[in-house]
Amino acid sequence: MPDDFTVTLLGTGTSTGVPVIGCDCEVCRSDDPRDTRTRCACYIDTGDVTLLIDTGPDFRAQMLREDLTRVDAVLYTHHHFDHIAGLDDLRPFFFWNRRPMPCFGHPATVRALTDKYDYVFGSNPYPGAADLSLCSVEDTFYVPTRQPPLPRGTDPAELPRRDAQVAVDPILLYHGSMPVYGYRVGGFAYLTDVNRIPDTSLDRLAGLDTLVLDALRPSPHPTHFSFDQAVEVARAIGARQTYFIHMTHNVLHAEQEDRLPGDIHLGYDGLKIHVPVP
Ligand SMILES: [Zn+2]
Ligand SMILES: [Zn+2]
């Protein structure tokens, strides 16, 4: 298990992003930077191992914006466009380190990625495609560091330990009828694109410090939690702090933040969350 670690919300918007193309509503025209929402993704830096959750269509811009240069593994939540469209932008992570990069997901997600990206995952990959190894997981798994051998003259104390690994729990959720995964690392869990959490999954979320949770908008939706539902779920899970993500242009940050209980906040792009050891 890692010590304290840092979580960066790379994107916090729904599938269209906010502003929405062609929309001139109050949120889409807002000057508040927290009302600009790129597609959802998350970066977890445990010090020794770095984990990326999803590679949506804004992935490249998000990594450049945050000046992030290292990824040890990708955890895929599900195969919708807004969570996978940036997969090809993982290629630069192979320019200086040829080791394969593991990508984890639910068996159905792994099947869908294999079908959609045949030139990456097929039997005859395109030369230059990212060397991604898809791993179908159903229980706790361990992600090792992908750190390359020490460059000559480097002080080993400046690099993460090469034998480090971090334990990750996949959390089964439902996005309408589709099984998707949330992920738990230590006292942190990230649950996006969900409108139902089975009891067995709730059991695996006990004792959380920080929860990041799908909350689409105030009004109901068939495949995402509404704000009221998300508050109820946050209460049931009982984390010390909860951040909402995957929000539409129906959510004006300053206005909605004020209406939430004190331990629940709206996430925003670029927010860094410190997660202490439980
Ligand atoms: Zn989504
Ligand atoms: Zn989705």
Side-chain angles (χ1 to χ4, degrees):
M1 261 306 108
D3 292 337
D4 293 13
F5 56 88
T6 307
V7 171
T8 304
L9 299 183
L10 297 176
T12 56
T14 193
S15 54
T16 56
V18 180
V20 177
I21 293 173
C23 184
D24 65 353
C25 78
E26 183 186 13
V27 178
C28 289
R29 285 185 293 105
S30 167
D31 291 335
D32 185 339
R34 298 172 302 178
D35 286 320
T36 293
R37 304 183 179 110
T38 60
R39 269 60 70 89
C40 280
C42 176
Y43 187 83
I44 304 170
D45 185 350
T46 71
D48 289 324
V49 178
T50 58
L51 303 167
L52 178 65
I53 303 183
D54 291 335
T55 55
D58 300 311
F59 168 64
R60 173 178 171 274
Q62 292 165 340
M63 295 299 277
L64 292 171
R65 185 191 74 208
E66 300 297 329
D67 195 21
L68 295 170
T69 56
R70 188 175 156 213
V71 174
D72 288 325
V74 186
L75 316 178
Y76 280 106
T77 61
H78 66 306
H79 68 272
H80 281 161
F81 170 88
D82 56 322
H83 297 261
I84 67 165
L87 178 145
D88 216 60
D89 287 325
L90 289 166
R91 283 185 303 138
F93 295 94
F94 296 86
F95 293 169
W96 296 281
N97 178 355
R98 293 301 310 167
R99 293 182 185 192
M101 183 185 291
C103 298
F104 299 90
H106 185 279
T109 303
V110 165
R111 276 196 300 276
L113 283 169
T114 306
D115 288 347
K116 285 176 191 295
Y117 290 96
D118 64 308
Y119 73 97
V120 178
F121 301 117
S123 54
N124 185 23
Y126 177 74
D131 189 359
L132 306 174
S133 56
L134 277 175
C135 314
S136 177
V137 285
E138 300 193 45
D139 208 340
T140 306
F141 55 95
Y142 294 85
V143 181
T145 175
R146 212 180 138 254
Q147 185 68 32
L150 283 182
R152 209 170 295 227
T154 306
D155 177 356
E158 289 174 10
L159 287 174
R161 292 201 324 272
R162 291 173 60 195
D163 59 348
Q165 60 177 14
V166 64
V168 181
D169 279 325
I171 309 289
L172 179 67
L173 312 170
Y174 286 91
H175 184 27
S177 61
M178 179 194 288
V180 307
Y181 274 162
Y183 291 98
R184 176 174 187 164
V185 183
F188 171 76
Y190 183 90
L191 314 180
T192 192
D193 292 58
V194 51
N195 70 326
R196 184 165 71 84
I197 306 180
D199 287 343
T200 47
S201 297
L202 284 174
D203 292 345
R204 303 184 73 159
L205 295 166
L208 269 193
D209 176 83
T210 303
L211 170 66
V212 170
L213 180 63
D214 181 4
L216 190 75
R217 62 188 187 196
S219 59
H221 187 276
T223 63
H224 293 269
F225 286 136
S226 67
F227 273 31
D228 285 349
Q229 291 170 324
V231 168
E232 200 177 306
V233 167
R235 285 283 161 269
I237 293 173
R240 180 179 65 86
Q241 54 180 352
T242 296
Y243 291 89
F244 286 173
I245 55 163
H246 214 290
M247 292 164 296
T248 67
H249 65 151
N250 304 102
V251 179
L252 190 68
H253 188 102
E255 184 181 284
Q256 293 292 338
E257 172 78 24
D258 275 356
R259 293 181 183 170
L260 291 171
D263 57 329
I264 302 180
H265 305 280
L266 298 187
Y268 55 87
D269 286 27
L271 176 65
K272 284 187 165 44
I273 306 168
H274 176 73
V275 181
V277 178

